[in-house]
Amino acid sequence: MKLKESQKLYTKGLVNLVGAVNSPVRAFASVGGNPLFIKKAKGSTITDVDNNKYIDLVLSYGPMILGHRHKKVQKAITKALKNGYSFGASTENEIKLAKIVCDAFPEMDKVRFVNSGTEAVLSGIRLARAFTGKDKIIKFAGCYHGHQDALLVAAGSGLATLSLPGSKGVPEGAVKNTLIAKYNDLESVKAHFEQHDDIAGVILEPVGGNMGVVTPKDNFLKELKEYLQEKGALLIADEVMTGFRSKFGGAQELFGVTADITCLGKVIGGGFPVGAYGARNEIMEMVAPLGGMYQAGTLSGNPIAMAGGIATLTELKRQNPYKKFNKVAEEIEKSLLKSAKKFEINVTVNRFGSMMNPFFTDVKVTNFEEAQTSDTKKFAVFFWEMIKNGIFLPPSQFEAWFLSSALNKADLNKVKLAIDKAMEAVSKM
Ligand SMILES: *Cc1c(COP(=O)(O)O)cnc(C)c1O
């Protein structure tokens, strides 16, 4: 397999870009080797600059749920482009996308569009503080909520449980109102409430996707919500990853829980930079211009991004691929477990709708600590063998694999064959 052109661009990129990337996970640091440079993508397939073709299970870390360049999305954005790219004034498409999103989340009356998941969450947190008049926020170790200062603690890094900044440049003052709890462990939340009376709310991924996929235990979300209601604190659901991935709407609903504030991103922009936060009227009326919580954006509600989002969600609703996602994920899970058994490798597979991943461990993974028992060296070997066999995976043990509705039977067979070869390679380490 040739990666010559990618290597050339990598060397060139190092001059004026940091590590030749604009987001760290793209650098392949945890699997070794140099990053791939991409030329184009269509449907389920992505092509690098050396013309190697891969079945894409990264899908831009989630947004490309219909596969790449779906013809209806392409048509919608091409049409929008003809009218201009940005106006600094409202357009009808913002209202249309807002209605699609609010209709999909029963607890959401109003929504505000921003430009990324990070922005959605930092605004959602500000809103929770504005609404409750309290400052402290509880987050769970291993949950990632974007790169805002206040939540860059135990965010899939090794700093779990200690309230220490997970990044240089984050002052201790910025995280002093952030409390860390253990995912799937309500007692760890209660312990904080026993010590503090100024907790505005709890933020979580309803299904963890940034420590690998970690699903909530049976009544965890329900009991958490009930407890928070008792305490007068808000539940903030970060559905930037899970939104529209396991049903049309939020993962919350599948677990019988409604969050007070919901944050979205990824899928709702269909590949364009869009984030959103929304809630019931009473809460959203805190936001300027209706209320005193300031939040703004020059490019927010960008007309091209709105057109991409509307077309993506409309087509997603029409396709309703969620049963298919579960079936495909189940088949991939079976294939992972079967090959792992054949080559005597310890593997645990977690999945939820169209997100899934194997952990190279014999431990059942229900939180960040357990996820960290994974053998990342094995994952690195597995990853590169998958690449060699034409499957593009996220280059980290702790990222979810994503499925698109463009995956067909032949793609799936290719994935299964690659998995068997990759497990064999791991067994020969
Ligand atoms: C990706 C992600 C974010 C951050 O979104 P960006 O668009 O990368 O800023 C926040 N929360 C969760 C759960 C995510 O998966």
Side-chain angles (χ1 to χ4, degrees):
M1 158 181 232
K2 267 206 268 177
L3 293 172
K4 215 173 85 207
E5 294 303 318
S6 271
Q7 265 153 25
K8 265 197 219 158
L9 286 181
Y10 177 63
T11 309
K12 218 169 159 183
L14 286 172
V15 179
N16 294 121
L17 288 169
V18 182
V21 295
N22 280 304
S23 195
V25 73
R26 297 179 200 164
F28 285 30
S30 64
V31 290
N34 298 334
L36 298 181
F37 278 71
I38 302 303
K39 183 154 88 181
K40 60 182 182 181
K42 173 80 185 155
S44 59
T45 305
I46 192 162
T47 307
D48 71 15
V49 288
D50 288 279
N51 289 321
N52 299 305
K53 286 190 187 333
Y54 311 88
I55 311 277
D56 187 8
L57 300 184
V58 180
L59 296 166
S60 189
Y61 292 87
M64 311 315 300
I65 193 164
L66 302 173
H68 295 277
R69 287 197 285 146
H70 188 282
K71 62 178 188 299
K72 287 188 185 161
V73 181
Q74 187 107 355
K75 200 173 153 198
I77 58 174
T78 309
K79 192 175 155 210
L81 272 170
K82 287 186 182 145
N83 291 325
Y85 323 138
S86 189
F87 309 119
S90 295
T91 60
E92 189 178 357
N93 274 351
E94 291 163 71
I95 302 172
K96 282 190 183 156
L97 187 57
K99 176 155 171 52
I100 295 172
V101 171
C102 287
D103 284 351
F105 286 80
E107 80 286 7
M108 201 186 280
D109 296 318
K110 285 185 174 55
V111 67
R112 167 63 62 82
F113 291 115
V114 292
N115 302 293
S116 68
T118 296
E119 254 191 89
V121 177
L122 81 83
S123 309
I125 295 286
R126 186 180 300 153
L127 181 55
R129 288 173 168 155
F131 185 74
T132 59
K134 295 173 178 170
D135 285 344
K136 291 207 161 58
I137 298 287
I138 298 177
K139 84 174 277 287
F140 292 98
C143 282
Y144 175 68
H145 302 294
H147 66 86
Q148 65 161 310
D149 282 358
L151 297 184
L152 219 46
V153 199
S157 76
L159 293 161
T161 67
L162 298 174
S163 220
L164 288 177
S167 161
K168 285 191 177 162
V170 174
E172 266 172 52
V175 296
K176 78 171 197 295
N177 287 314
T178 309
L179 306 167
I180 308 300
K182 197 167 166 186
Y183 200 78
N184 273 323
D185 181 355
L186 186 57
E187 293 309 312
S188 70
V189 173
K190 289 183 178 172
H192 286 309
F193 276 92
E194 274 151 29
Q195 280 186 28
H196 305 276
D197 57 7
D198 56 344
I199 299 174
V202 172
I203 183 160
L204 90 170
E205 298 178 65
V207 173
N210 288 286
M211 45 181 150
V213 176
V214 175
T215 54
K217 284 182 184 163
D218 278 350
N219 282 319
F220 175 61
L221 296 179
K222 252 190 180 151
E223 286 169 11
L224 175 63
K225 175 68 197 276
E226 280 163 18
Y227 181 73
L228 294 181
Q229 248 168 340
E230 227 172 81
K231 294 283 168 190
L234 302 185
L235 179 63
I236 307 149
D238 179 352
E239 295 230 43
V240 170
M241 185 183 290
T242 52
F244 298 95
R245 294 221 67 91
S246 54
K247 78 180 282 286
F248 193 81
Q252 301 159 56
E253 222 183 318
L254 287 176
F255 297 102
V257 172
T258 50
D260 297 289
I261 297 172
T262 297
C263 306
L264 296 166
K266 298 193 169 120
V267 169
I268 64 163
F272 291 87
V274 182
Y277 61 102
R280 55 185 185 270
N281 281 324
E282 173 198 22
I283 299 177
M284 287 309 280
E285 279 160 11
M286 299 295 300
V287 180
L290 296 183
M293 186 207 105
Y294 192 71
Q295 183 274 310
T298 301
L299 295 174
S300 294
N302 174 269
I304 314 305
M306 294 292 109
I310 293 167
T312 297
L313 293 187
T314 306
E315 176 60 12
L316 190 58
K317 191 165 191 186
R318 193 193 68 76
Q319 287 187 5
N320 193 15
Y322 299 103
K323 257 198 198 135
K324 176 182 158 181
F325 284 151
N326 283 336
K327 215 175 136 255
V328 173
E330 190 186 349
E331 282 200 42
I332 296 177
E333 175 181 34
K334 273 189 195 151
S335 156
L336 282 162
L337 294 175
K338 195 174 142 204
S339 297
K341 195 167 170 202
K342 177 166 141 195
F343 295 106
E344 296 176 353
I345 298 159
N346 287 325
V347 163
T348 296
V349 179
N350 283 359
R351 64 186 172 89
F352 181 74
S354 51
M355 43 197 271
M356 66 181 307
N357 71 282
F359 295 92
F360 285 92
T361 177
D362 57 351
V363 171
K364 192 165 178 270
V365 177
T366 66
N367 60 35
F368 186 44
E369 254 172 31
E370 289 160 0
Q372 283 180 306
T373 64
S374 299
D375 187 334
T376 54
K377 288 201 184 80
K378 282 186 183 152
F379 178 81
V381 169
F382 182 86
F383 169 85
W384 277 110
E385 196 63 23
M386 291 294 274
I387 290 282
K388 273 185 212 150
N389 285 281
I391 315 295
F392 188 41
L393 296 180
S396 162
Q397 166 71 85
F398 304 107
E399 297 282 352
W401 305 2
F402 294 104
L403 306 178
S404 78
S405 63
L407 271 182
N408 62 31
K409 246 206 153 87
D411 296 332
L412 186 57
N413 284 335
K414 212 170 156 192
V415 171
K416 289 181 186 170
L417 282 174
I419 285 172
D420 206 54
K421 293 215 172 104
M423 287 294 179
E424 184 176 11
V426 171
S427 75
K428 288 181 176 154
M429 279 170 74

